[in-house]
Amino acid sequence: MKKFKRKELESCLQQVDGFEGPKLLLEQYPTRPHIAACMLYTIHNTFDDIENKIVADLGCGCGVLSIGSAMLGAGLCIGFDVDADALEVFNRNAEEFELTNIDMVQCDVCSLPEEMAKTFDTVIMNPPFGTKHNKGTDMAFLKTALRMAKTAVYSLHKTSTRQHIQKKADDWKVKMEVLAELRYDLPASYKFHKKKSVDIEVDFIRFSSEKKTNEGMT
């Protein structure tokens, strides 16, 4: 198993193709290679939650987090996304990297069946931030992720929503740790964007499921 330095991982992830025609309604913004590498390197090196683990990537898009997880030695990483076009790019990316420990499923992440509960060691995601037409989508993704994970969920959320998320985590009896505050560079992907890019502050959070029961997760 090749040991990657964070910069090496970031360099590899820069070769992952992104969205060809991002869809506003799905809040399709790419996870930048720098942020993806920071997330995955921390998950792998600090918490040992990737190597030989079964990993789910919710709202995987074109697969940068899945591909990074597979490169770091995940037993299997499965990406879930509703968008067939994004998964087509994901499939091409996986083939170009010649990865065999990776798969993808087209589905609505928020409608995954109960049978998926506790089927993954680790869930990683960069969910829709729940803005524009998608209010509450970030929390719906998180609720699904917490049901699926045996050990931990790693996710990005807008720093401005931290108190709201902490309250939900407390309600759900889940331990929440903010691992890092990151600046997320949103490129001007859509016509209404006036600036070339805009920085938003995001929290990289670990939710650990050892305190959790599925009861009361409403």
Side-chain angles (χ1 to χ4, degrees):
M1 177 69 221
K2 176 174 164 51
K3 293 287 183 188
F4 284 93
K5 293 181 178 171
R6 188 177 60 77
K7 283 287 185 189
E8 285 181 294
L9 182 62
E10 182 179 339
S11 180
C12 289
L13 295 180
Q14 284 170 349
Q15 299 165 46
V16 176
D17 291 335
F19 297 106
E20 292 172 348
K23 295 170 182 155
L24 177 60
L25 283 174
L26 299 177
E27 281 193 64
Q28 287 181 332
Y29 297 104
T31 307
R32 296 301 216 185
H34 172 68
I35 285 183
C38 283
M39 289 176 69
L40 295 169
Y41 196 76
T42 301
I43 297 166
H44 179 56
N45 282 284
T46 304
F47 297 98
D48 192 25
D49 278 339
I50 292 181
E51 191 169 2
N52 299 319
K53 302 292 195 292
I54 308 299
V55 178
D57 176 7
L58 301 189
C60 59
C62 300
V64 66
L65 291 173
S66 291
I67 286 165
S69 296
M71 291 172 69
L72 290 171
L76 176 67
C77 185
I78 302 178
F80 296 84
D81 204 285
V82 72
D83 184 30
D85 294 333
L87 291 177
E88 191 176 317
V89 178
F90 182 161
N91 192 46
R92 284 206 311 268
N93 283 326
E95 287 177 355
E96 284 174 18
F97 278 87
E98 299 181 342
L99 296 166
T100 56
N101 55 339
I102 201 165
D103 206 346
M104 59 211 71
V105 176
Q106 185 184 358
C107 66
D108 177 354
V109 166
C110 299
S111 301
L112 285 167
E114 286 294 325
E115 291 77 31
M116 301 293 283
K118 299 289 180 291
T119 48
F120 293 86
D121 298 302
T122 306
V123 177
I124 56 175
M125 60 180 188
N126 177 12
F129 289 138
T131 55
K132 301 289 181 191
H133 310 285
N134 290 322
K135 192 166 174 58
T137 308
D138 53 342
M139 291 290 94
F141 266 62
L142 181 56
K143 193 197 294 192
T144 299
L146 288 165
R147 286 206 180 105
M148 293 170 71
K150 293 179 191 172
T151 304
V153 173
Y154 295 88
S155 186
L156 294 177
H157 296 273
K158 286 173 79 170
T159 301
S160 60
T161 65
R162 186 188 297 175
Q163 282 185 307
H164 172 63
I165 295 169
Q166 182 68 68
K167 184 177 183 306
K168 282 289 188 186
D170 292 344
D171 290 347
W172 294 339
K173 297 179 173 54
V174 176
K175 184 181 177 188
M176 170 178 154
E177 301 169 80
V178 178
L179 303 179
E181 294 179 29
L182 305 169
R183 296 197 73 80
Y184 195 112
D185 173 32
L186 286 183
S189 308
Y190 304 106
K191 288 178 183 173
F192 67 84
H193 286 163
K194 302 290 191 289
K195 299 177 181 175
K196 284 186 178 177
S197 69
V198 60
D199 279 354
I200 61 170
E201 294 178 347
V202 297
D203 288 345
F204 172 35
I205 304 176
R206 182 181 197 260
F207 301 90
S208 50
S209 50
E210 52 263 22
K211 286 188 177 181
K212 179 177 97 296
T213 65
N214 274 336
E215 296 163 17
M217 287 188 63
T218 57

